[in-house]
DNA sequence: CCGTATCCTTGTCGATACTG
DNA sequence: CAGTATCGACAAGGATACGG
């Protein structure tokens, strides 16, 4: 059950960095939707419930900069901009979905652990008025 | 190359939550080291370079609450506390290492994409005195 | 339609000091 | 040794207004 010895090398810096990028509030959601095919800005805005215009722009710019997303502008009035995953973006989707699958499969175990922990901390004196 | 259609369901909430937990500054690092076997508090503190006492405590408490880490106190003077991964913690290590492997394998592709993007934004005025 | 700019609130993290 | 408590710096995120 115990996994084989894991030597933490300087390469872990890269891991931490990717995790931070991917672990923000909207990145995974946007990338997942884009995994279905190209989408326009406002289409994405409507689909990703709750995202603000600013955060969508920010998220897309980061993804574009890191090479995960391709931004294509079709000139005209009004302007039309389309976003789609690059090959790198599609590649990223694989391990991300691995973690997604784990999260969905183990959601309840984590919730149970929390309930148990919280219950152990507050035996019964939950009045705790202070 | 394009992955099969991915329907984003409410379950994505669980995904986002796990990603956020795991995507913070220290969690993955601590869990990875703990993957090598049980460790004591200060041992961990020395090993995880740069972590503050507060953040180590906070990170370990969260991990304990979520059922990823088991905390064992050996009474005595001075006190001795040992941390180790639970089964759930070991399980989590699997998809996390998947993403880690991806990050290490693709680090350079991302870096190149960034260089290219930045270069495109700053045509030639790269003196960038900073 | 597709953004950028600004302000403001909130959360995260680190430094420091102190306790059992 | 293994924490807790407090404070302050800073970054992330959201609301709103404006521009191309």
């Amino acid at each position: 059950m115990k996994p084989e010895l894991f030597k933490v090398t300087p390469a872990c810096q890269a891991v931490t960095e990717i995790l931070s990028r991917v672990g923000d509030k909207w990145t995974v959601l946007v990338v997942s939707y884009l995994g279905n095919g190209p989408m326009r800005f406002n289409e994405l805005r409507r689909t990703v419930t709750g995202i603000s215009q600013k955060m969508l722009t920010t998220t897309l710019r980061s993804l574009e900069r890191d090479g995960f997303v391709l931004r294509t502008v079709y000139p005209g009035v009004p302007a039309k901009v389309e976003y789609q995953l690059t090959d790198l973006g599609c590649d990223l989707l694989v391990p991300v979905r691995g973690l997604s699958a784990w999260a969905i499969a183990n959601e309840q175990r984590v919730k149970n652990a929390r309930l148990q922990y919280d219950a152990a901390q507050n035996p019964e004196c939950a009045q705790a008025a202070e």
Side-chain angles (χ1 to χ4, degrees), chain A residues 119-130:
Chain A
Q121 299 305 307
N122 296 16
E124 55 248 318
C125 54
Q127 71 267 41
E130 192 134 358

Side-chain angles (χ1 to χ4, degrees), chain A residues 67-92:
Chain A
F68 296 126
V69 158
L70 179 66
R71 178 175 178 267
T72 313
V73 182
Y74 299 98
V77 175
K80 175 181 170 184
V81 181
E82 208 172 62
Y83 294 90
Q84 59 189 305
L85 291 187
T86 61
D87 290 357
L88 188 60
C90 287
D91 283 3
L92 177 63

Side-chain angles (χ1 to χ4, degrees), chain A residues 8 11 28 36 44 52-53 56 60 63 74 76 79 83 105 107 109 120-121 130:
Chain A
V8 179
V28 168
N36 291 344
L44 221 32
S52 67
Q53 194 170 32
L56 182 54
L60 287 170
L63 287 171
Y74 299 98
Y83 294 90
E107 188 183 359
R109 287 170 81 187
Q121 299 305 307
E130 192 134 358

Side-chain angles (χ1 to χ4, degrees), chain A residues 5-62:
Chain A
L5 194 68
F6 185 73
K7 185 66 166 48
V8 179
T9 68
C12 286
Q13 196 185 355
V15 176
T16 300
E17 212 190 307
I18 287 291
L19 249 345
S20 301
R21 281 233 167 275
V22 150
D24 74 351
K25 198 167 179 183
W26 301 109
T27 294
V28 168
L29 226 40
V30 169
V31 170
S32 296
Y33 277 116
L34 248 24
N36 291 344
M39 292 179 85
R40 296 181 55 181
F41 187 85
N42 275 329
E43 190 183 356
L44 221 32
R45 184 157 151 62
R46 281 188 302 271
T47 310
V48 182
T49 328
I51 196 171
S52 67
Q53 194 170 32
K54 176 190 171 183
M55 286 317 295
L56 182 54
T57 300
T58 304
T59 302
L60 287 170
R61 281 288 174 283
S62 293

